[in-house]
Amino acid sequence: GGGGFGGGQAGRAPGSGIPGSGFNRPTDVAWDKSGNIYVADGIGTNNRVAKFDKDGKFITHWGSTGTGPGQFTGVKALAVSNAGDVYVLDAGKKRIQVFDGGGKFKSEFGNVGSPLTMCMTRGATQYLFISHAGDEDGMEDAAIYKTTLDGKVVGKFGSAGKQIKEFGLANSIDCRDENNLLIGEMTNWRVQRVTLK
C-alpha cells in the first residue's frame, strides 16, 4: 500500500495519496498549526488540493477542473490562516477560494487583478499579499495587493518594470514580516526586498 511522501506504487508519484491521484505539476505547499501539509496540485490536469498529515500520510483531497465553488482552472498558491482556513489561488478564474481544513468551500473573492501568487502574514491580525501579474509578460501592468482575509483590499503598491518596487511576473512572496517582503520575479530574474511603512 504506500501513499505517504516516501512511498508510492508503480505508475504513481511518491506522495500522491490514493491510487490514480498522482501529482501533476504541483506548485505550492502550506502547513497548518497541527503540521498537516497541503499541496497545490493544479497547473496540470488535477486542479485539486491534497492534504497529508505531518508524517506524510494521505488524508484527503478536493477540487476538480471547472469554474464553480471548489473547482479550479489553475491552483497556483496556498496559504493557511491561524483559524485553519485554506486559501487557494485559482489563477485561471482570477480568484481566491477559501475552504475549511477538510476542503469544505466557505467563500471566495476576486477583486485582485490577475493573481499569480500570494502569502499570508503571521500574528493576531493576518493579511494576504497577492501578486497581480497583469499581462502575460507582467511588464504592462503589475502590482502587489494587500487584503484582509475576507478579500477587502487595504493597500496596493508597485507597477510593471525593472526598477525598485517595480515587478515583472512576481511569482513568489515571503511576507512573514508584513512590513518587509521578499518578492521573487520571473521576468526580471531577481528577488527584491521591499520595505513598507
Side-chain angles (χ1 to χ4, degrees), residues 2 33 38 51 56 64 111 134 177 179:
K33 286 183 175 182
Y38 299 84
K51 180 180 180 180
S64 62
N111 57 334
D177 175 346
N179 294 313

Side-chain angles (χ1 to χ4, degrees), residues 119-122 174-178 180-182:
C119 72
M120 188 177 292
T121 62
R122 299 176 177 179
D174 180 311
C175 63
R176 286 174 276 189
D177 175 346
E178 72 179 90
N180 294 290
L181 309 178
L182 294 173

